[in-house]
Amino acid sequence: MRHPQGRARRAGAALAAVLTWAALLAGAVGCSPDGTHGLGIDHVLGGRPAAPEDVIRISPDDGTRAVRPDGPLMVRVPSGRLESVSVVRSQDAQDSPVPGHIAGGGTIWRPDDPKLALAAKYTVDAVAVDGGGHRSARHTTFTTLVPDERFIGYVTPENRATVGTGMIVSLAFSRDIEDRAAVERAVQVTAKPAVEIRPHWFGKNRLDFRPERYWQPGTVVTVGLNLRDVEGAPGVYGLQSKTFTFTVGRSQVSLVDAAAHTMEVRRDGELLATVPITAGAPEHTTYNGKMVVMEMHDVTRMNSRTVGFGGEYDIPDVPHALKLTDSGTFLHGNYWAPDAPGRVNVSHGCVGLRDVKGGSSDTPAGWFYDRSLIGDVVEVVNSKDKMVAPDNGLGGWNMGWKEWKAGSAAK
Protein backbone atom coordinates (compact mmCIF):
# COMPACT_ATOMS: atom_id res chain seq x y z
CA MET A 1 0.00 0.00 0.00
CA ARG A 2 1.37 3.38 -1.03
CA HIS A 3 1.34 6.38 1.33
CA PRO A 4 0.45 9.86 0.04
CA GLN A 5 2.77 11.43 2.59
CA GLY A 6 5.82 9.56 1.09
CA ARG A 7 5.06 10.82 -2.37
CA ALA A 8 4.72 14.33 -1.06
CA ARG A 9 8.03 14.16 0.76
CA ARG A 10 9.84 12.93 -2.40
CA ALA A 11 8.28 15.64 -4.53
CA GLY A 12 9.27 18.25 -2.00
CA ALA A 13 12.86 17.04 -1.96
CA ALA A 14 13.08 17.20 -5.76
CA LEU A 15 11.65 20.69 -5.79
CA ALA A 16 14.14 21.75 -3.15
CA ALA A 17 17.04 20.38 -5.25
CA VAL A 18 15.87 22.30 -8.29
CA LEU A 19 15.53 25.48 -6.28
CA THR A 20 18.97 24.96 -4.78
CA TRP A 21 20.60 24.61 -8.24
CA ALA A 22 18.66 27.60 -9.48
CA ALA A 23 19.89 29.62 -6.54
CA LEU A 24 23.48 28.56 -7.14
CA LEU A 25 23.29 29.45 -10.79
CA ALA A 26 21.57 32.71 -10.08
CA GLY A 27 24.28 33.54 -7.57
CA ALA A 28 26.99 32.61 -10.02
CA VAL A 29 25.78 35.01 -12.65
CA GLY A 30 24.20 37.59 -10.42
CA CYS A 31 27.05 38.66 -8.16
CA SER A 32 27.85 41.42 -10.64
CA PRO A 33 26.14 42.66 -13.79
CA ASP A 34 29.04 41.61 -16.06
CA GLY A 35 29.81 38.41 -14.21
CA THR A 36 33.37 39.45 -13.47
CA HIS A 37 33.04 38.63 -9.78
CA GLY A 38 31.09 35.43 -10.24
CA LEU A 39 32.08 31.98 -11.40
CA GLY A 40 30.08 32.18 -14.65
CA ILE A 41 28.04 29.48 -16.31
CA ASP A 42 30.95 28.45 -18.61
CA HIS A 43 33.19 27.92 -15.60
CA VAL A 44 30.62 25.90 -13.74
CA LEU A 45 30.05 23.68 -16.78
CA GLY A 46 33.78 23.24 -17.52
CA GLY A 47 34.67 26.47 -19.40
CA ARG A 48 34.12 27.63 -23.01
CA PRO A 49 36.96 26.58 -25.40
CA ALA A 50 39.06 29.39 -26.80
CA ALA A 51 38.91 30.16 -30.52
CA PRO A 52 41.35 27.98 -32.56
CA GLU A 53 43.29 31.03 -33.76
CA ASP A 54 43.89 31.98 -30.13
CA VAL A 55 45.06 28.50 -29.20
CA ILE A 56 47.25 27.88 -32.30
CA ARG A 57 49.26 30.74 -33.77
CA ILE A 58 50.51 30.15 -37.32
CA SER A 59 52.90 32.37 -39.24
CA PRO A 60 52.51 33.46 -42.02
CA ASP A 61 48.86 34.33 -41.43
CA ASP A 62 46.12 32.45 -43.21
CA GLY A 63 45.68 33.70 -46.76
CA THR A 64 48.93 35.66 -46.94
CA ARG A 65 50.34 36.08 -50.44
CA ALA A 66 53.78 36.76 -51.94
CA VAL A 67 55.68 35.58 -48.84
CA ARG A 68 59.42 35.98 -49.40
CA PRO A 69 61.65 32.90 -49.13
CA ASP A 70 63.14 34.14 -45.86
CA GLY A 71 59.68 34.63 -44.33
CA PRO A 72 59.36 32.67 -41.06
CA LEU A 73 57.18 29.54 -41.10
CA MET A 74 56.23 28.71 -37.53
CA VAL A 75 53.41 27.12 -35.51
CA ARG A 76 53.17 27.79 -31.76
CA VAL A 77 50.79 27.66 -28.81
CA PRO A 78 50.81 30.30 -26.01
CA SER A 79 49.80 27.59 -23.53
CA GLY A 80 49.20 23.89 -23.69
CA ARG A 81 50.97 21.77 -26.28
CA LEU A 82 50.98 20.86 -29.94
CA GLU A 83 49.83 17.35 -30.73
CA SER A 84 50.59 17.29 -34.45
CA VAL A 85 51.65 19.59 -37.30
CA SER A 86 51.48 18.72 -40.99
CA VAL A 87 52.77 21.10 -43.68
CA VAL A 88 52.51 20.40 -47.42
CA ARG A 89 54.19 22.39 -50.20
CA SER A 90 52.45 22.45 -53.59
CA GLN A 91 54.81 23.47 -56.39
CA ASP A 92 54.93 22.67 -60.09
CA ALA A 93 51.77 20.53 -59.74
CA GLN A 94 53.44 18.33 -57.11
CA ASP A 95 52.73 18.06 -53.39
CA SER A 96 55.64 17.50 -51.01
CA PRO A 97 55.64 17.19 -47.21
CA VAL A 98 57.70 19.81 -45.39
CA PRO A 99 59.81 18.13 -42.70
CA GLY A 100 59.89 19.82 -39.32
CA HIS A 101 59.85 19.13 -35.60
CA ILE A 102 58.03 20.14 -32.44
CA ALA A 103 60.25 21.65 -29.75
CA GLY A 104 60.05 23.84 -26.66
CA GLY A 105 58.20 21.24 -24.63
CA GLY A 106 55.55 20.93 -27.30
CA THR A 107 54.90 24.65 -27.70
CA ILE A 108 56.50 25.36 -31.09
CA TRP A 109 57.02 23.75 -34.52
CA ARG A 110 59.57 24.86 -37.08
CA PRO A 111 60.60 23.42 -40.48
CA ASP A 112 63.96 21.69 -40.69
CA ASP A 113 64.85 23.97 -43.62
CA PRO A 114 63.77 27.52 -42.81
CA LYS A 115 63.89 28.67 -46.43
CA LEU A 116 60.59 28.73 -48.28
CA ALA A 117 60.21 27.75 -51.91
CA LEU A 118 59.16 30.39 -54.39
CA ALA A 119 55.98 30.22 -56.47
CA ALA A 120 54.48 27.65 -54.09
CA LYS A 121 51.38 27.16 -51.95
CA TYR A 122 51.79 25.96 -48.37
CA THR A 123 49.05 24.20 -46.42
CA VAL A 124 49.34 23.94 -42.63
CA ASP A 125 47.23 21.62 -40.43
CA ALA A 126 47.84 21.69 -36.69
CA VAL A 127 46.18 20.12 -33.64
CA ALA A 128 46.83 21.34 -30.09
CA VAL A 129 45.52 21.02 -26.54
CA ASP A 130 45.20 24.30 -24.65
CA GLY A 131 45.84 24.96 -20.98
CA GLY A 132 42.28 24.00 -20.11
CA GLY A 133 42.53 20.60 -21.77
CA HIS A 134 40.50 21.53 -24.83
CA ARG A 135 41.61 20.19 -28.22
CA SER A 136 41.69 22.63 -31.15
CA ALA A 137 42.59 22.32 -34.82
CA ARG A 138 43.59 24.87 -37.45
CA HIS A 139 43.89 24.72 -41.24
CA THR A 140 45.66 27.60 -43.00
CA THR A 141 47.24 28.31 -46.37
CA PHE A 142 49.61 30.90 -47.78
CA THR A 143 51.46 31.41 -51.04
CA THR A 144 55.03 32.53 -51.68
CA LEU A 145 56.51 35.10 -53.97
CA VAL A 146 56.40 34.49 -57.71
CA PRO A 147 59.56 36.19 -58.98
CA ASP A 148 59.43 38.34 -62.07
CA GLU A 149 63.00 37.44 -63.04
CA ARG A 150 64.81 34.11 -63.13
CA PHE A 151 68.25 32.87 -64.16
CA ILE A 152 69.48 29.52 -65.41
CA GLY A 153 72.90 27.96 -65.91
CA TYR A 154 73.89 26.43 -69.25
CA VAL A 155 76.11 23.46 -68.43
CA THR A 156 79.04 21.87 -70.27
CA PRO A 157 79.33 18.90 -70.83
CA GLU A 158 75.98 17.29 -71.66
CA ASN A 159 74.24 14.78 -69.45
CA ARG A 160 75.44 11.17 -69.89
CA ALA A 161 78.28 12.24 -72.17
CA THR A 162 81.58 10.38 -72.39
CA VAL A 163 84.39 12.93 -72.48
CA GLY A 164 88.14 13.27 -72.54
CA THR A 165 90.25 13.66 -69.43
CA GLY A 166 90.61 17.42 -69.92
CA MET A 167 86.92 18.25 -69.59
CA ILE A 168 86.12 21.22 -67.34
CA VAL A 169 82.61 21.58 -65.92
CA SER A 170 81.49 25.03 -67.03
CA LEU A 171 78.30 26.92 -66.18
CA ALA A 172 77.34 29.99 -68.19
CA PHE A 173 74.55 31.93 -66.44
CA SER A 174 71.82 33.77 -68.29
CA ARG A 175 72.13 36.76 -65.94
CA ASP A 176 75.02 38.43 -64.13
CA ILE A 177 75.39 36.92 -60.66
CA GLU A 178 75.82 39.35 -57.76
CA ASP A 179 75.72 36.85 -54.89
CA ARG A 180 78.32 34.52 -56.35
CA ALA A 181 78.91 32.74 -53.03
CA ALA A 182 75.24 31.72 -52.74
CA VAL A 183 75.17 30.41 -56.30
CA GLU A 184 78.49 28.61 -55.90
CA ARG A 185 77.25 26.84 -52.76
CA ALA A 186 74.18 25.68 -54.69
CA VAL A 187 76.30 23.74 -57.22
CA GLN A 188 77.92 20.47 -56.16
CA VAL A 189 80.39 18.61 -58.36
CA THR A 190 81.57 15.21 -57.09
CA ALA A 191 83.50 12.33 -58.59
CA LYS A 192 83.86 8.59 -58.17
CA PRO A 193 86.59 7.72 -57.43
CA ALA A 194 86.72 10.81 -55.23
CA VAL A 195 89.04 13.68 -56.05
CA GLU A 196 89.20 17.28 -54.89
CA ILE A 197 87.23 19.52 -57.25
CA ARG A 198 87.29 23.28 -56.89
CA PRO A 199 85.36 26.16 -58.47
CA HIS A 200 86.63 29.29 -60.20
CA TRP A 201 84.63 32.34 -61.31
CA PHE A 202 85.34 34.12 -64.57
CA GLY A 203 83.46 37.39 -64.24
CA LYS A 204 79.86 37.50 -63.07
CA ASN A 205 78.27 34.93 -65.32
CA ARG A 206 80.64 31.95 -65.63
CA LEU A 207 81.58 29.35 -63.03
CA ASP A 208 83.98 26.48 -63.86
CA PHE A 209 84.97 23.38 -61.86
CA ARG A 210 87.99 21.12 -62.24
CA PRO A 211 90.39 18.93 -60.25
CA GLU A 212 94.06 19.82 -59.82
CA ARG A 213 95.12 17.49 -62.65
CA TYR A 214 93.33 15.89 -65.57
CA TRP A 215 90.59 13.42 -64.63
CA GLN A 216 91.50 9.77 -64.33
CA PRO A 217 89.96 7.62 -67.09
CA GLY A 218 86.79 5.89 -65.92
CA THR A 219 85.84 8.62 -63.45
CA VAL A 220 82.10 9.26 -63.11
CA VAL A 221 81.34 12.91 -62.37
CA THR A 222 78.03 14.07 -60.89
CA VAL A 223 76.87 17.67 -61.13
CA GLY A 224 74.06 18.80 -58.84
CA LEU A 225 72.34 22.09 -59.67
CA ASN A 226 70.35 23.23 -56.64
CA LEU A 227 69.73 26.69 -58.06
CA ARG A 228 65.96 26.72 -57.63
CA ASP A 229 64.99 29.79 -55.58
CA VAL A 230 68.60 30.89 -54.98
CA GLU A 231 68.77 34.70 -55.19
CA GLY A 232 71.65 35.29 -57.59
CA ALA A 233 71.03 39.04 -57.84
CA PRO A 234 68.48 41.33 -56.17
CA GLY A 235 65.07 40.00 -57.19
CA VAL A 236 66.56 37.44 -59.61
CA TYR A 237 66.17 33.81 -58.56
CA GLY A 238 67.46 30.52 -59.95
CA LEU A 239 65.11 28.14 -61.73
CA GLN A 240 66.91 24.78 -61.96
CA SER A 241 66.95 21.81 -59.64
CA LYS A 242 68.52 18.87 -61.43
CA THR A 243 71.35 16.36 -61.32
CA PHE A 244 73.30 14.91 -64.21
CA THR A 245 76.42 12.81 -64.74
CA PHE A 246 79.13 12.26 -67.30
CA THR A 247 81.87 9.68 -67.66
CA VAL A 248 85.54 10.28 -68.38
CA GLY A 249 86.79 8.05 -71.17
CA ARG A 250 90.34 7.17 -72.17
CA SER A 251 93.12 9.74 -71.95
CA GLN A 252 94.19 11.46 -75.16
CA VAL A 253 96.56 14.43 -75.11
CA SER A 254 98.01 15.85 -78.33
CA LEU A 255 101.08 18.09 -78.41
CA VAL A 256 101.29 20.54 -81.30
CA ASP A 257 104.77 21.93 -82.01
CA ALA A 258 104.15 25.02 -84.13
CA ALA A 259 107.85 25.38 -84.99
CA ALA A 260 108.35 21.73 -85.99
CA HIS A 261 104.96 21.54 -87.80
CA THR A 262 104.05 18.29 -86.01
CA MET A 263 101.46 16.94 -83.58
CA GLU A 264 102.20 14.00 -81.30
CA VAL A 265 99.04 12.11 -80.36
CA ARG A 266 99.32 10.14 -77.11
CA ARG A 267 96.66 7.69 -75.90
CA ASP A 268 96.88 6.73 -72.21
CA GLY A 269 100.47 7.97 -72.22
CA GLU A 270 101.56 5.94 -75.28
CA LEU A 271 102.46 7.61 -78.60
CA LEU A 272 99.87 6.72 -81.25
CA ALA A 273 101.21 8.80 -84.09
CA THR A 274 103.08 11.94 -85.09
CA VAL A 275 100.93 13.90 -87.54
CA PRO A 276 102.11 16.75 -89.82
CA ILE A 277 100.29 20.04 -89.17
CA THR A 278 100.20 23.65 -90.27
CA ALA A 279 99.74 26.32 -87.59
CA GLY A 280 99.20 30.07 -87.67
CA ALA A 281 101.19 32.10 -90.18
CA PRO A 282 103.65 34.69 -88.79
CA GLU A 283 101.03 37.45 -89.01
CA HIS A 284 98.27 35.25 -87.47
CA THR A 285 100.05 33.02 -84.97
CA THR A 286 98.39 30.26 -82.94
CA TYR A 287 97.94 30.58 -79.18
CA ASN A 288 100.31 28.63 -76.98
CA GLY A 289 98.95 26.55 -74.12
CA LYS A 290 96.47 23.83 -73.23
CA MET A 291 93.16 23.87 -75.07
CA VAL A 292 90.24 21.46 -74.75
CA VAL A 293 88.04 20.16 -77.54
CA MET A 294 84.70 21.95 -77.03
CA GLU A 295 82.75 20.94 -80.14
CA MET A 296 83.16 18.50 -83.03
CA HIS A 297 81.75 19.07 -86.54
CA ASP A 298 81.99 16.73 -89.52
CA VAL A 299 81.85 19.86 -91.66
CA THR A 300 81.43 23.55 -90.85
CA ARG A 301 81.65 26.95 -92.45
CA MET A 302 84.50 29.27 -91.53
CA ASN A 303 84.10 32.96 -92.29
CA SER A 304 86.88 35.40 -91.38
CA ARG A 305 84.38 38.15 -90.58
CA THR A 306 83.15 36.19 -87.53
CA VAL A 307 86.60 36.26 -85.92
CA GLY A 308 87.69 39.78 -86.78
CA PHE A 309 89.71 39.16 -89.95
CA GLY A 310 87.51 41.09 -92.34
CA GLY A 311 86.81 39.39 -95.65
CA GLU A 312 90.03 37.37 -95.95
CA TYR A 313 88.33 33.97 -96.29
CA ASP A 314 84.96 32.24 -96.38
CA ILE A 315 85.17 28.45 -96.63
CA PRO A 316 81.73 26.79 -96.57
CA ASP A 317 82.83 23.15 -96.13
CA VAL A 318 85.73 22.84 -93.69
CA PRO A 319 85.93 19.11 -92.81
CA HIS A 320 86.69 17.43 -89.47
CA ALA A 321 86.56 20.60 -87.37
CA LEU A 322 87.26 20.48 -83.61
CA LYS A 323 86.67 23.76 -81.78
CA LEU A 324 89.34 24.68 -79.22
CA THR A 325 88.56 28.26 -78.11
CA ASP A 326 85.65 30.68 -77.95
CA SER A 327 87.66 33.12 -80.04
CA GLY A 328 87.62 30.77 -83.01
CA THR A 329 90.66 28.50 -82.80
CA PHE A 330 89.97 25.14 -84.47
CA LEU A 331 91.92 22.01 -85.25
CA HIS A 332 90.51 21.01 -88.64
CA GLY A 333 91.04 19.36 -91.97
CA ASN A 334 92.71 21.46 -94.67
CA TYR A 335 92.19 20.57 -98.36
CA TRP A 336 93.02 23.97 -99.90
CA ALA A 337 96.73 23.98 -98.92
CA PRO A 338 97.67 20.29 -99.17
CA ASP A 339 101.42 20.89 -99.18
CA ALA A 340 101.51 23.06 -96.03
CA PRO A 341 101.17 20.47 -93.21
CA GLY A 342 104.59 19.39 -92.03
CA ARG A 343 106.34 22.22 -93.92
CA VAL A 344 105.00 25.72 -93.29
CA ASN A 345 102.48 27.59 -91.14
CA VAL A 346 99.83 29.24 -93.31
CA SER A 347 96.63 29.42 -91.22
CA HIS A 348 94.92 32.35 -89.49
CA GLY A 349 95.62 30.82 -86.06
CA CYS A 350 94.04 27.38 -86.41
CA VAL A 351 95.84 24.05 -86.54
CA GLY A 352 95.36 22.35 -89.90
CA LEU A 353 95.76 18.68 -90.84
CA ARG A 354 95.89 17.32 -94.39
CA ASP A 355 92.44 16.40 -95.71
CA VAL A 356 90.42 16.24 -98.95
CA LYS A 357 87.35 18.20 -100.00
CA GLY A 358 84.35 16.59 -98.32
CA GLY A 359 86.59 14.90 -95.75
CA SER A 360 87.88 11.33 -95.59
CA SER A 361 88.71 8.92 -92.78
CA ASP A 362 91.82 7.93 -94.74
CA THR A 363 93.45 11.36 -94.26
CA PRO A 364 95.39 12.55 -91.18
CA ALA A 365 92.50 14.89 -90.32
CA GLY A 366 89.90 12.10 -90.62
CA TRP A 367 92.07 9.68 -88.65
CA PHE A 368 92.44 12.16 -85.80
CA TYR A 369 88.76 13.18 -85.83
CA ASP A 370 87.61 9.57 -85.59
CA ARG A 371 89.77 9.05 -82.50
CA SER A 372 88.81 12.25 -80.66
CA LEU A 373 86.35 13.09 -77.91
CA ILE A 374 84.99 16.34 -76.60
CA GLY A 375 87.17 17.01 -73.57
CA ASP A 376 90.44 15.86 -75.17
CA VAL A 377 93.44 18.11 -74.63
CA VAL A 378 95.41 19.78 -77.41
CA GLU A 379 98.50 21.65 -76.23
CA VAL A 380 100.39 24.07 -78.47
CA VAL A 381 104.04 24.89 -77.88
CA ASN A 382 106.73 26.92 -79.68
CA SER A 383 104.34 29.37 -81.28
CA LYS A 384 105.27 33.04 -81.34
CA ASP A 385 102.07 34.05 -79.58
CA LYS A 386 100.82 34.50 -76.02
CA MET A 387 99.35 31.83 -73.76
CA VAL A 388 95.67 31.22 -74.37
CA ALA A 389 93.53 32.91 -71.68
CA PRO A 390 92.02 30.55 -69.05
CA ASP A 391 88.50 31.74 -69.91
CA ASN A 392 88.95 31.42 -73.69
CA GLY A 393 87.14 28.15 -74.18
CA LEU A 394 87.99 25.58 -71.51
CA GLY A 395 91.47 26.96 -70.97
CA GLY A 396 91.49 26.68 -67.20
CA TRP A 397 94.31 24.13 -67.26
CA ASN A 398 96.67 27.02 -68.04
CA MET A 399 96.11 28.37 -64.53
CA GLY A 400 98.05 27.06 -61.52
CA TRP A 401 96.13 25.22 -58.80
CA LYS A 402 96.66 27.91 -56.17
CA GLU A 403 95.44 30.64 -58.48
CA TRP A 404 92.50 28.49 -59.57
CA LYS A 405 91.36 27.92 -55.98
CA ALA A 406 91.61 31.62 -55.26
CA GLY A 407 88.79 32.18 -57.76
CA SER A 408 86.17 30.76 -55.41
CA ALA A 409 83.63 33.19 -53.98
CA ALA A 410 82.59 31.02 -51.03
CA LYS A 411 85.38 31.59 -48.55
Side-chain angles (χ1 to χ4, degrees):
M1 179 177 182
R2 296 183 179 180
H3 300 283
Q5 292 99 337
R7 288 195 298 271
R9 283 195 297 272
R10 286 193 294 274
L15 179 60
V18 171
L19 292 173
T20 300
W21 270 102
L24 285 171
L25 294 175
V29 300
C31 292
S32 61
D34 60 3
T36 55
H37 298 295
L39 294 175
I41 183 65
D42 293 332
H43 185 85
V44 172
L45 298 180
R48 177 179 296 168
E53 58 268 24
D54 293 329
V55 176
I56 305 173
R57 311 285 175 82
I58 298 176
S59 179
D61 291 336
D62 188 25
T64 303
R65 297 182 178 182
V67 177
R68 292 185 58 83
D70 56 356
L73 171 56
M74 182 172 60
V75 181
R76 64 183 181 89
V77 291
S79 62
R81 60 182 175 82
L82 289 165
E83 283 194 339
S84 65
V85 176
S86 172
V87 180
V88 175
R89 179 183 67 244
S90 301
Q91 185 182 45
D92 298 335
Q94 293 185 339
D95 292 343
S96 304
V98 177
H101 59 278
I102 296 173
T107 62
I108 192 167
W109 178 95
R110 289 190 178 94
D112 294 338
D113 182 356
K115 187 175 181 181
L116 300 176
L118 292 172
K121 176 183 177 181
Y122 283 79
T123 301
V124 183
D125 287 286
V127 178
V129 177
D130 67 13
H134 300 285
R135 181 173 282 104
S136 297
R138 281 198 75 189
H139 173 88
T140 66
T141 64
F142 65 90
T143 56
T144 55
L145 177 70
V146 178
D148 293 328
E149 298 182 83
R150 293 281 200 173
F151 74 88
I152 61 174
Y154 299 97
V155 185
T156 299
E158 296 181 351
N159 189 26
R160 296 189 295 273
T162 297
V163 301
T165 54
M167 176 54 64
I168 290 177
V169 178
S170 185
L171 283 80
F173 296 105
S174 60
R175 297 287 300 270
D176 283 354
I177 302 300
E178 299 295 335
D179 193 346
R180 295 186 301 167
V183 170
E184 181 181 315
R185 284 191 290 265
V187 181
Q188 285 83 44
V189 182
T190 57
K192 185 179 291 187
V195 64
E196 183 182 11
I197 304 167
R198 298 296 289 270
H200 186 97
W201 284 90
F202 294 108
K204 291 185 176 182
N205 59 13
R206 177 174 167 182
L207 175 62
D208 287 7
F209 290 82
R210 71 167 176 89
E212 182 175 4
R213 298 175 181 85
Y214 300 146
W215 304 98
Q216 289 297 315
T219 299
V220 177
V221 182
T222 300
V223 181
L225 300 182
N226 302 307
L227 297 171
R228 182 67 181 259
D229 301 344
V230 174
E231 191 170 17
V236 183
Y237 295 87
L239 186 61
Q240 296 155 294
S241 180
K242 61 182 294 186
T243 299
F244 70 94
T245 63
F246 64 88
T247 302
V248 179
R250 80 293 175 274
S251 169
Q252 182 166 296
V253 177
S254 301
L255 182 67
V256 173
D257 189 326
H261 316 298
T262 60
M263 178 174 69
E264 294 180 348
V265 182
R266 296 186 181 274
R267 173 75 62 84
D268 296 320
E270 298 295 326
L271 181 65
L272 283 184
T274 300
V275 183
I277 63 95
T278 179
E283 63 273 22
H284 303 300
T285 50
T286 304
Y287 290 125
N288 284 293
K290 301 178 179 71
M291 292 169 259
V292 174
V293 176
M294 303 164 58
E295 300 174 8
M296 297 178 62
H297 305 278
D298 288 333
V299 61
T300 191
R301 178 183 179 182
M302 291 188 176
N303 188 315
S304 58
R305 296 185 186 279
T306 65
V307 289
F309 287 132
E312 295 188 27
Y313 61 86
D314 185 5
I315 307 172
D317 56 353
V318 178
H320 298 133
L322 289 77
K323 187 176 182 179
L324 301 180
T325 69
D326 289 326
S327 62
T329 306
F330 278 78
L331 190 156
H332 60 76
N334 181 318
Y335 65 81
W336 51 91
D339 296 329
R343 296 181 56 252
V344 62
N345 293 329
V346 298
S347 81
H348 284 71
C350 292
V351 176
L353 283 70
R354 186 179 297 112
D355 210 335
V356 296
K357 190 175 178 64
S360 169
S361 294
D362 295 330
T363 64
W367 176 89
F368 183 73
Y369 186 91
D370 291 344
R371 288 159 178 78
S372 295
L373 290 174
I374 289 176
D376 283 347
V377 178
V378 176
E379 183 176 2
V380 177
V381 297
N382 297 326
S383 176
K384 295 181 179 180
D385 204 328
K386 62 185 178 181
M387 185 76 66
V388 63
D391 61 345
N392 190 356
L394 302 177
W397 298 110
N398 297 292
M399 185 180 291
W401 187 234
K402 182 178 180 180
E403 185 181 1
W404 180 269
K405 293 189 295 182
S408 169
K411 304 302 183 183

